[in-house]
Amino acid sequence: GESVGLHLPTLSVQEGDNSIINCAYSNSASDYFIWYKQESGKGPQFIIDIRSNMDKRQGQRVTVLLNKTVKHLSLQIAATQPGDSAVYFCAENQGAQKLVFGQGTRLTINP
Amino acid sequence: GAVVSQHPSRVICKSGTSVKIECRSLDFQATTMFWYRQFPKQSLMLMATSNEGSKATYEQGVEKDKFLINHASLTLSTLTVTSAHPEDSSFYICSARIGTAASEAFFGQGTRLTVV
């Protein structure tokens, strides 16, 4: 079946550097995407979202880019901080307002 | 912001027993609640969708008789894992949705179930 997946399972960056987390999706009909942050032992926390009629959206220190041509989604985190260490999931709205989650990327911020 | 509370946060039960997990929306009424299961180092997998006052809709491969869902009010949904086995050990997460948009779903803190 169709699914949302992530290119890299782990990512380590130095504190203060920028990080980019990628996600590939296969359902071309998906019209809405969300990035979540999940800390150990906790539920997902909403970071930022983007609709398919946009290709970029910015938040505080985060930017999401959407490339519908290649079905690719990315999350950029600027000036990373230790508190950014977590697992990041992209999620795709696959009809009936159901969210399908990608496999996740573990981001580690090194001091 | 909207708060979703799960209880308990951790539970250990013996094989063959049943355990109930509660999901409450504390400051809003949830039209729909979702239950997910997450195995270690894996993603969240949707188990079922429940609407207040109606039967839950289960995802393919999820046994409805094993994972009983009750959504008796707009602020409470429960998941009961019946006759639990060690392979049911997992992290169970609920989300509650205010309206109809995916963006309006808020997640609980999860419940770690260990079956021994």
Side-chain angles (χ1 to χ4, degrees):
Chain A
E2 299 196 285
S3 64
V4 179
L6 290 168
H7 292 307
L8 298 173
T10 61
L11 177 65
S12 293
V13 299
Q14 290 298 121
E15 182 178 352
D17 287 352
N18 299 334
S19 67
I20 299 176
I21 300 170
N22 297 301
C23 175
Y25 67 96
S26 56
N27 189 339
S28 57
S30 294
D31 61 357
Y32 178 68
F33 305 87
I34 304 175
W35 279 102
Y36 288 96
K37 173 185 181 183
Q38 185 181 30
E39 295 176 318
S40 181
K42 297 184 179 180
Q45 176 186 359
F46 175 94
I47 300 175
I48 192 168
D49 59 358
I50 189 167
R51 299 200 175 277
S52 60
N53 61 354
M54 304 172 67
D55 53 19
K56 180 179 181 179
R57 189 156 189 240
Q58 288 185 291
Q60 188 175 18
R61 287 201 303 120
V62 294
T63 301
V64 55
L65 299 177
L66 175 62
N67 186 330
K68 294 182 287 295
T69 302
V70 295
K71 298 178 195 167
H72 184 268
L73 195 68
S74 69
L75 175 69
Q76 301 178 3
I77 305 174
T80 53
Q81 303 168 357
D84 294 329
S85 293
V87 178
Y88 290 81
F89 293 96
C90 64
E92 170 186 17
N93 181 39
Q94 274 196 358
Q97 303 302 321
K98 287 197 304 187
L99 289 176
V100 175
F101 283 77
Q103 288 304 303
T105 294
R106 178 172 296 281
L107 176 65
T108 301
I109 308 302
N110 300 314
Chain B
V3 178
V4 176
S5 177
Q6 270 184 251
H7 178 79
S9 57
R10 291 178 178 271
V11 58
I12 300 173
C13 70
K14 291 185 178 181
S15 186
T17 63
S18 296
V19 61
K20 180 184 287 187
I21 302 169
E22 293 186 347
C23 178
R24 294 181 184 272
S25 55
L26 297 186
D27 50 3
F28 66 98
Q29 292 185 326
T31 56
T32 306
M33 289 187 173
F34 303 87
W35 287 96
Y36 295 83
R37 180 167 53 183
Q38 185 179 29
F39 291 109
K41 298 184 180 181
Q42 294 190 23
S43 186
L44 283 75
M45 298 300 296
L46 181 65
M47 299 174 67
T49 302
S50 72
N51 292 292
E52 184 263 342
S54 61
K55 290 184 178 180
T57 301
Y58 290 81
E59 294 299 302
Q60 191 172 11
V62 178
E63 300 175 58
K64 62 180 181 180
D65 293 330
K66 179 168 186 61
F67 299 100
L68 300 178
I69 292 173
N70 183 281
H71 194 161
S73 76
L74 286 171
T75 59
L76 173 64
S77 176
T78 61
L79 168 68
T80 301
V81 182
T82 63
S83 187
H85 292 285
E87 56 265 31
D88 297 324
S89 298
S90 187
F91 194 52
Y92 292 88
I93 305 171
C94 73
S95 75
R97 194 172 70 197
I98 295 176
T100 58
S103 60
E104 298 173 303
F106 300 92
F107 286 82
Q109 71 270 38
T111 297
R112 172 75 61 194
L113 170 63
T114 303
V115 184
V116 297

Coordinates of all heavy atoms in Angstrom, one line a residue, chain A residues 32 34 36 38 41-46 49 51 89 93 96-104 106, chain B residues 34 36 38 41-46 49 59 91 93 97 100-103 105 107-110 112:
Chain A
Y32 N -2.2 17.4 2.4 CA -1.9 18.1 3.7 C -0.8 17.2 4.4 O -0.9 16.0 4.5 CB -3.1 18.2 4.5 CG -2.9 18.9 5.9 CD1 -2.6 20.2 6.0 CD2 -3.1 18.2 7.0 CE1 -2.4 20.8 7.2 CE2 -3.0 18.7 8.3 CZ -2.6 20.1 8.3 OH -2.5 20.6 9.6
I34 N 2.0 17.1 7.9 CA 2.4 17.7 9.2 C 3.7 17.1 9.7 O 4.0 15.9 9.4 CB 1.3 17.3 10.3 CG1 -0.1 17.8 9.9 CG2 1.7 17.9 11.6 CD1 -1.2 17.4 10.9
Y36 N 5.8 16.2 13.1 CA 5.7 16.0 14.5 C 7.1 15.8 15.1 O 8.0 15.2 14.5 CB 4.8 14.9 14.9 CG 3.3 15.1 14.6 CD1 2.7 14.7 13.4 CD2 2.5 15.7 15.5 CE1 1.4 14.8 13.2 CE2 1.2 15.9 15.3 CZ 0.6 15.5 14.1 OH -0.7 15.7 13.8
Q38 N 8.7 13.9 18.5 CA 8.3 13.0 19.6 C 9.6 12.8 20.5 O 10.6 12.3 20.0 CB 7.8 11.7 19.1 CG 7.4 10.7 20.2 CD 6.9 9.4 19.7 OE1 7.3 8.9 18.7 NE2 5.9 8.8 20.4
G41 N 9.3 8.5 25.3 CA 8.2 8.2 26.2 C 7.1 9.2 26.2 O 6.2 9.2 27.1
K42 N 7.0 10.0 25.1 CA 5.9 11.0 25.0 C 5.1 10.8 23.7 O 5.6 10.2 22.8 CB 6.4 12.4 25.2 CG 7.1 12.7 26.5 CD 7.5 14.1 26.6 CE 8.2 14.4 27.9 NZ 8.6 15.9 28.0
G43 N 4.0 11.5 23.6 CA 3.3 11.5 22.4 C 3.8 12.5 21.4 O 4.6 13.4 21.8
P44 N 3.4 12.5 20.2 CA 3.9 13.4 19.2 C 3.4 14.8 19.5 O 2.3 15.1 19.9 CB 3.2 12.9 17.9 CG 2.8 11.5 18.1 CD 2.5 11.4 19.6
Q45 N 4.3 15.8 19.1 CA 4.0 17.2 19.3 C 4.0 17.9 18.0 O 5.0 17.7 17.2 CB 5.0 17.8 20.3 CG 4.9 19.3 20.5 CD 6.1 19.8 21.3 OE1 7.0 19.1 21.7 NE2 6.1 21.1 21.6
F46 N 3.0 18.6 17.6 CA 2.9 19.3 16.4 C 4.0 20.3 16.3 O 4.2 21.1 17.2 CB 1.5 20.0 16.3 CG 1.3 20.8 15.1 CD1 0.7 20.3 14.0 CD2 1.7 22.2 15.1 CE1 0.5 21.2 12.9 CE2 1.5 23.0 14.0 CZ 0.9 22.5 12.9
D49 N 2.9 22.5 9.7 CA 2.1 21.8 8.7 C 2.2 22.6 7.4 O 2.7 23.8 7.3 CB 0.7 21.6 9.1 CG -0.1 22.9 9.4 OD1 0.6 24.0 9.3 OD2 -1.3 22.9 9.7
R51 N 0.1 22.7 3.4 CA -0.9 22.2 2.4 C -0.3 22.1 1.0 O 0.7 22.7 0.7 CB -2.1 23.1 2.4 CG -2.8 23.2 3.7 CD -4.2 23.7 3.6 NE -4.9 23.7 4.9 CZ -5.4 22.6 5.5 NH1 -5.4 21.5 4.8 NH2 -5.9 22.7 6.7
F89 N 8.7 12.9 12.9 CA 7.9 12.2 11.9 C 7.2 13.1 11.0 O 6.7 14.2 11.4 CB 6.8 11.4 12.7 CG 7.3 10.3 13.5 CD1 7.4 10.5 14.9 CD2 7.5 9.0 13.0 CE1 7.9 9.4 15.7 CE2 7.9 8.0 13.8 CZ 8.1 8.2 15.2
N93 N -1.9 13.4 5.3 CA -3.4 13.2 5.4 C -3.8 12.4 4.2 O -3.8 12.8 3.1 CB -4.0 14.6 5.3 CG -5.5 14.5 5.5 OD1 -6.0 13.7 6.2 ND2 -6.3 15.3 4.7
A96 N -10.2 11.0 4.5 CA -11.0 10.7 5.7 C -10.3 11.3 6.9 O -10.5 10.9 8.1 CB -11.3 9.3 6.0
Q97 N -9.5 12.3 6.7 CA -8.7 13.0 7.7 C -7.9 12.1 8.6 O -7.7 12.3 9.8 CB -9.7 13.8 8.6 CG -10.5 14.8 7.8 CD -9.6 15.8 7.1 OE1 -8.6 16.3 7.6 NE2 -10.0 16.1 5.8
K98 N -7.5 10.9 8.0 CA -6.6 10.0 8.7 C -5.2 10.4 8.5 O -4.8 10.7 7.3 CB -6.8 8.6 8.3 CG -8.1 8.0 8.8 CD -8.1 6.5 8.7 CE -7.9 6.0 7.3 NZ -8.1 4.5 7.2
L99 N -4.4 10.4 9.5 CA -2.9 10.7 9.3 C -2.1 9.4 9.2 O -2.3 8.5 10.1 CB -2.4 11.5 10.5 CG -2.9 12.9 10.6 CD1 -2.4 13.6 11.9 CD2 -2.5 13.7 9.4
V100 N -1.3 9.3 8.2 CA -0.4 8.2 8.1 C 1.0 8.7 8.4 O 1.5 9.7 7.8 CB -0.4 7.6 6.6 CG1 0.7 6.5 6.5 CG2 -1.8 7.0 6.3
F101 N 1.7 8.0 9.3 CA 3.0 8.5 9.8 C 4.1 7.8 9.0 O 4.0 6.7 8.7 CB 3.1 8.2 11.3 CG 2.4 9.2 12.1 CD1 1.0 9.1 12.3 CD2 3.1 10.2 12.8 CE1 0.3 10.0 13.1 CE2 2.4 11.1 13.6 CZ 1.0 11.0 13.8
G102 N 5.2 8.6 8.8 CA 6.4 8.0 8.2 C 7.2 7.3 9.3 O 6.8 7.2 10.5
Q103 N 8.3 6.7 9.0 CA 9.1 5.9 9.9 C 9.8 6.7 10.9 O 10.2 6.1 11.9 CB 10.0 5.0 9.1 CG 9.3 3.9 8.3 CD 8.5 3.0 9.2 OE1 9.0 2.5 10.2 NE2 7.2 2.9 9.0
G104 N 10.1 7.9 10.7 CA 10.8 8.7 11.7 C 12.3 8.8 11.5 O 12.9 7.9 11.0
R106 N 15.6 10.0 13.9 CA 16.1 10.4 15.2 C 17.2 11.5 15.1 O 18.2 11.2 14.5 CB 16.7 9.2 16.0 CG 17.2 9.6 17.4 CD 17.6 8.4 18.2 NE 16.5 7.6 18.5 CZ 15.6 7.8 19.5 NH1 15.8 8.9 20.2 NH2 14.6 7.0 19.7
Chain B
F34 N -8.6 8.9 18.0 CA -7.8 7.9 17.3 C -6.9 7.2 18.3 O -6.4 7.8 19.2 CB -6.9 8.6 16.2 CG -7.7 9.4 15.2 CD1 -8.0 10.7 15.5 CD2 -8.1 8.8 14.0 CE1 -8.6 11.5 14.5 CE2 -8.8 9.6 13.1 CZ -9.1 10.9 13.4
Y36 N -3.4 4.7 18.4 CA -2.3 4.3 17.7 C -1.5 3.4 18.5 O -1.5 3.4 19.8 CB -1.4 5.5 17.3 CG -2.0 6.5 16.4 CD1 -2.8 7.5 16.8 CD2 -1.6 6.5 15.0 CE1 -3.3 8.5 15.9 CE2 -2.2 7.4 14.1 CZ -3.0 8.4 14.6 OH -3.5 9.3 13.7
Q38 N 2.6 2.0 18.9 CA 4.0 2.2 18.4 C 4.9 1.3 19.1 O 5.1 1.3 20.3 CB 4.4 3.7 18.8 CG 5.7 4.1 18.2 CD 6.1 5.5 18.6 OE1 5.6 6.1 19.6 NE2 6.8 6.2 17.7
K41 N 11.3 2.0 18.3 CA 12.0 2.5 17.2 C 11.2 2.4 15.9 O 11.8 2.3 14.8 CB 13.3 1.8 17.0 CG 14.3 2.0 18.2 CD 15.6 1.3 18.0 CE 16.5 1.5 19.2 NZ 17.8 0.9 19.0
Q42 N 9.9 2.4 16.0 CA 9.0 2.3 14.9 C 8.1 3.5 14.9 O 8.0 4.3 15.8 CB 8.3 1.0 14.8 CG 9.2 -0.2 14.6 CD 8.4 -1.4 14.2 OE1 7.3 -1.4 13.8 NE2 9.1 -2.6 14.5
S43 N 7.3 3.6 13.8 CA 6.4 4.7 13.7 C 5.0 4.4 14.4 O 4.8 3.3 14.9 CB 6.1 4.9 12.2 OG 5.4 6.1 12.0
L44 N 4.2 5.4 14.4 CA 2.8 5.2 14.9 C 2.0 4.5 13.8 O 1.9 4.9 12.7 CB 2.2 6.5 15.3 CG 2.7 7.2 16.5 CD1 4.0 7.8 16.4 CD2 1.7 8.3 16.9
M45 N 1.3 3.5 14.3 CA 0.4 2.8 13.4 C -1.0 3.0 13.9 O -1.3 2.6 15.0 CB 0.7 1.3 13.3 CG 2.1 1.0 12.8 SD 2.4 1.6 11.1 CE 1.2 0.6 10.2
L46 N -1.9 3.5 13.0 CA -3.3 3.7 13.4 C -4.0 2.4 13.6 O -3.9 1.5 12.8 CB -4.0 4.5 12.3 CG -5.5 4.9 12.6 CD1 -5.6 5.8 13.8 CD2 -6.1 5.5 11.4
T49 N -10.4 4.3 14.7 CA -10.9 5.6 14.8 C -12.3 5.5 15.5 O -13.1 4.6 15.1 CB -11.2 6.2 13.4 OG1 -9.9 6.2 12.7 CG2 -11.7 7.6 13.4
E59 N -8.6 -0.5 11.7 CA -7.8 -0.6 10.6 C -7.6 -2.1 10.2 O -7.8 -2.9 11.1 CB -6.4 0.1 10.8 CG -6.5 1.6 11.0 CD -7.1 2.3 9.7 OE1 -6.5 2.1 8.6 OE2 -8.1 3.0 9.9
F91 N 3.7 0.8 23.0 CA 3.3 2.2 23.4 C 2.0 2.5 22.7 O 2.0 2.5 21.5 CB 4.5 3.1 23.0 CG 4.5 4.5 23.7 CD1 4.3 4.6 25.1 CD2 4.6 5.6 22.9 CE1 4.3 5.8 25.7 CE2 4.6 6.9 23.5 CZ 4.4 7.0 24.9
I93 N -0.9 5.2 22.0 CA -1.1 6.7 21.9 C -2.5 7.0 21.4 O -2.9 6.4 20.4 CB 0.0 7.4 21.1 CG1 1.4 7.0 21.5 CG2 -0.2 8.9 21.1 CD1 2.4 7.5 20.5
R97 N -9.6 14.9 18.2 CA -9.7 15.9 17.2 C -10.9 16.8 17.5 O -12.0 16.3 17.9 CB -9.9 15.2 15.9 CG -9.7 16.2 14.7 CD -9.7 15.4 13.4 NE -11.0 14.9 13.1 CZ -11.2 13.9 12.2 NH1 -10.2 13.4 11.5 NH2 -12.5 13.5 12.0
T100 N -13.0 18.6 12.1 CA -12.9 17.5 11.1 C -11.5 17.6 10.4 O -11.2 16.6 9.6 CB -14.0 17.7 10.1 OG1 -13.9 19.0 9.5 CG2 -15.4 17.5 10.7
A101 N -10.7 18.6 10.7 CA -9.4 18.7 10.0 C -8.4 17.9 10.7 O -8.3 17.9 11.9 CB -9.0 20.1 9.8
A102 N -7.5 17.3 9.9 CA -6.3 16.6 10.5 C -5.5 17.5 11.4 O -4.9 17.0 12.4 CB -5.5 15.9 9.4
S103 N -5.4 18.7 11.1 CA -4.6 19.7 11.8 C -5.2 19.9 13.2 O -4.5 20.5 14.1 CB -4.5 21.0 11.1 OG -5.8 21.5 10.9
A105 N -6.0 17.7 15.4 CA -5.9 16.5 16.3 C -4.7 16.8 17.3 O -3.7 17.3 16.9 CB -5.6 15.3 15.5
F107 N -2.4 15.0 20.6 CA -2.0 13.7 21.0 C -1.9 13.7 22.5 O -1.4 14.6 23.2 CB -0.7 13.3 20.4 CG -0.8 12.9 18.9 CD1 -0.9 13.9 17.9 CD2 -1.0 11.6 18.6 CE1 -1.0 13.5 16.6 CE2 -1.1 11.2 17.2 CZ -1.2 12.2 16.3
G108 N -2.2 12.5 23.1 CA -1.9 12.2 24.5 C -0.4 11.9 24.7 O 0.3 11.8 23.7
Q109 N -0.1 11.7 25.9 CA 1.3 11.4 26.2 C 1.7 10.0 26.1 O 2.9 9.6 26.2 CB 1.7 11.9 27.6 CG 1.1 11.1 28.7 CD -0.3 11.6 29.2 OE1 -1.1 12.0 28.3 NE2 -0.6 11.5 30.5
G110 N 0.7 9.1 25.8 CA 1.0 7.7 25.5 C 1.0 6.9 26.8 O 1.1 7.4 27.9
R112 N 2.6 3.2 28.2 CA 3.5 2.1 27.9 C 2.9 0.8 28.6 O 2.8 0.8 29.8 CB 4.9 2.4 28.5 CG 5.9 1.2 28.6 CD 6.4 1.0 27.2 NE 7.2 2.2 26.7 CZ 7.5 2.3 25.4 NH1 7.2 1.4 24.5 NH2 8.2 3.4 25.0

